[in-house]
C-alpha cells in the first residue's frame, strides 16, 4: 500500500523537471504568418534585404550574463586581526551574448528561419 502514493507522485516529479519549448519550436510558430505579426512579436528588424522575390528580416537579441572568473591573488585584505594575504574569489565578469535571427519571407509570409550566436537557446 505504501508503494501506491510513490507511484502517483513519480509523474508529478518528472513534470517538474520538464523544460519549456526549444527555440526551434518557438520560432516555428511564425512560419506561415505575415510580416506584420512577426514585427509585432519581435520588434523592428535591424536589417532588411530583398533578393530573388524573397525578403530577409534580421533581428538581433543581446543579453548580459555573469561569467565566473578564476581566483586571483589580491593584495592585503584586512580582517578582524589585521592584514591577511591569499586567494580571494574574483567578482563575476559580465559578458554580452547575442543571437541573430533571420526570417525569410515570400509573398509577405514567413517561409523559413535561421539563427546563430551564443545567446540562442
Amino acid at each position: 500500500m505504501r508503494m501506491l502514493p510513490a507511484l502517483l507522485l513519480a509523474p508529478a516529479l518528472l513534470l517538474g523537471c520538464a523544460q519549456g519549448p526549444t527555440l526551434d519550436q518557438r520560432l516555428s510558430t511564425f512560419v506561415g504568418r505575415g510580416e506584420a505579426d512577426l514585427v509585432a512579436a519581435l520588434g523592428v528588424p535591424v536589417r532588411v534585404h530583398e533578393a530573388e522575390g524573397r525578403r530577409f528580416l534580421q533581428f538581433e537579441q543581446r543579453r548580459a550574463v555573469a561569467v565566473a572568473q578564476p581566483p586571483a591573488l589580491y593584495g592585503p585584505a584586512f580582517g578582524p586581526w589585521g592584514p591577511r594575504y591569499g586567494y580571494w574569489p574574483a567578482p563575476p565578469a559580465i559578458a554580452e551574448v547575442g543571437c541573430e535571427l533571420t526570417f525569410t519571407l515570400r509573398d509577405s509570409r514567413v517561409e523559413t528561419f535561421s539563427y546563430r550566436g551564443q545567446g540562442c537557446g
Side-chain angles (χ1 to χ4, degrees):
M1 270 324 230
R2 289 179 184 247
M3 197 85 160
L4 185 59
L7 289 176
L8 294 175
L9 187 60
L13 290 174
L14 289 176
L15 287 176
C17 297
Q19 297 288 324
T22 64
L23 182 60
D24 283 324
Q25 291 169 337
R26 291 188 312 242
L27 294 179
S28 66
T29 61
F30 292 110
V31 174
R33 293 174 66 184
E35 182 176 348
D37 292 338
L38 188 63
V39 172
L42 299 177
V44 178
V46 293
R47 285 183 206 78
V48 177
H49 181 74
E50 293 189 31
E52 298 179 7
R54 292 188 180 131
R55 187 171 167 96
F56 300 90
L57 277 65
Q58 184 177 6
F59 299 87
E60 290 182 358
Q61 297 176 340
R62 303 223 174 271
R63 61 187 165 100
V65 294
V67 180
Q69 293 183 359
L73 182 61
Y74 290 104
F78 293 93
W81 297 282
R84 52 186 184 170
Y85 294 85
Y87 286 92
W88 297 91
I94 303 297
E96 186 177 89
V97 292
C99 181
E100 294 178 359
L101 306 169
T102 304
F103 290 88
T104 305
L105 287 80
R106 183 186 296 250
D107 299 326
S108 298
R109 297 275 176 208
V110 176
E111 186 176 61
T112 62
F113 63 88
S114 64
Y115 55 87
R116 68 178 178 183
Q118 292 177 335
C120 300

